Amino acid sequence: MSSPLELLEKSSRKIRHVLRAQDFKRETLMELFGLADALEREPMEIMRGRTLCWYGGEASSRTAVSHIMAAQDLGGTYLARAITESSEGGKGESLADTIMTLSVIDPEGIIVLRHPDEDAIYRAALVSKVPIINAGSGGEQHPTQALLDGFTIFKTIRRLDNFSIAFVGDLKYARTTNSLAYLLTKFRGIKMYLVSRDALRMKGDLRYYLELHRERMDLEVVETADLDWVIDQVDFVYQTRAQKERAEDLGEHASNPPYVIDRAMATRMKPGARIMHPLPRREELAREIDDMPQQLYIDQMRFGRIIRRALLAKICFDNPVSR
Ligand code: NCD
């Protein structure tokens, strides 16, 4: 079995910024999955002397903590700043200047940015002199969540081709389902059910992107509002929270109650089928499922730290510092 360093040396494609899920190549994803396993067997202090800077413009538990823990696993340190504490939050400094500042003061760092403005991550990447990772860009993307979701599916069924998944709930504003849908277009033979109320359907640009991959990747997409019909057909149910904080018009959520997955629903799933959720949850995912074999969302959190460790190791290797 190869060591983490051997795997990093073998990889030809480099990663600098992580902005959108569709930018990952299939080969890179498979390499990261292998690297994640290798780092579990054999730790590596490739981040020693480097700092991860969490720059948070929205609340975060799992994403912030797992990036920070992953950096520490690799011997790195961290700095966590909320936008409210920064000059961007308090003095009206532009995000570009804030990012420029961070990357000039710490030219060996890695910035992880979560921002409510969908465009901010791209503006940040334009000025950043250090690698920058998108940890959630408004209602648009969350590429490292897609990475951990893909890794979770891979760890569960040992493949990312030929399986079925239902994305459920608020597909209009959930960035996690957006990013995972983009990521899954790299794989073949996937059947994707998009289960939502009419007002919360997946946005047209992503729906069209999926359409472009239909024939070439043997991708089947079914849009429906009927979770009852889908629940016993799929290998994975990916439930989402109503993203009320993002809704342009709150009526969309008030008049479209969430689908609830409870014990009765979970029991109807195919044998071996699993329930995913990026968390946090509200009423759409009943706690009574936590102890059922269909639960996969708790494992997702664990895999998040493991795959982010691989991602950070790769970014450190691909963007060495000159000392
Ligand atoms: C999600 C997010 O922030 O988009 N959570 C996460 O990162 N695990 C999902 C959500 O907030 O509903």
Side-chain angles (χ1 to χ4, degrees), residues 13 25 56 77 96 103 112 183-184 193 214 221 266 286 290 298 319:
R13 206 179 296 276
K25 299 278 180 277
T77 54
S103 66
V112 185
L183 192 100
L184 292 180
Y193 291 87
R214 190 162 53 84
V221 182
D290 292 4
I298 297 171
N319 302 272

Side-chain angles (χ1 to χ4, degrees), residues 58-60 62-63 114 135-136 138 142 145 148 174-176 240-243 245-246 277-280 308:
E58 286 179 359
S60 177
R62 283 145 288 270
T63 307
R114 168 167 285 195
H142 194 345
Q145 179 73 38
L148 88 83
R175 56 193 175 194
T176 54
T240 59
R241 173 180 70 88
Q243 307 279 306
E245 72 276 26
R246 297 196 202 290
H277 192 307
L279 303 177
R308 286 179 173 124

Side-chain angles (χ1 to χ4, degrees), residues 3-14:
S3 71
L5 185 61
E6 283 164 351
L7 291 174
L8 286 164
E9 282 167 348
K10 249 189 262 170
S11 167
S12 56
R13 206 179 296 276
K14 299 207 177 303

Side-chain angles (χ1 to χ4, degrees), residues 105-124:
I105 293 178
D106 182 10
E108 302 179 353
I110 296 170
I111 297 173
V112 185
L113 173 68
R114 168 167 285 195
H115 206 286
D117 174 0
E118 299 185 354
D119 214 36
I121 186 71
Y122 305 104
R123 293 278 150 208

